[in-house]
Amino acid sequence: MASIPDSSWTLVTVFGELDLVSGDQIRPQLYDALATSASGVELDLSGLSFCDCAGLSVLLELRHRARTQGKTVTIRAADPAFDRLLHLIGGHELFPRPRSRHPQPHAHRSPLSPELVSSS
């Protein structure tokens, strides 16, 4: 079992609605969070109240970018409706839960937008 240092993952919390407009707004911030991480991004989507196909596409694009960089995108927590959406499309295999309990990423939290909070 591998031990992952605190600084290797970036925890990103997305809340509110994730649709075409908000997805376009947070896409660059998600990419920045990925770029500053050594291993990848852990998403906390438990505060997501709505996600449409355009919002899901933003997360799939993030996953694709992570894979090209040899990184991973996992979902630490999700709203039940989003969890159901992932189940319906077979997305649990695309966005796995973290396998082991990683040490918590740094406690520093800086708001990136009204819909996105990142902790690296």
Side-chain angles (χ1 to χ4, degrees), residues 4-7 9 11 42 76 101-107 119:
I4 301 171
D6 291 350
S7 61
W9 291 90
L11 174 63
E42 286 189 14
R76 177 179 284 198
R101 186 164 209 129
H102 302 170
Q104 289 293 323
H106 295 296
S119 172

Side-chain angles (χ1 to χ4, degrees), residues 83-100:
D83 210 33
R84 173 89 171 125
L85 175 63
L86 278 184
H87 175 74
L88 290 173
I89 67 162
H92 288 288
E93 292 79 27
L94 300 175
F95 297 101
R97 302 273 187 207
R99 288 188 183 175
S100 63

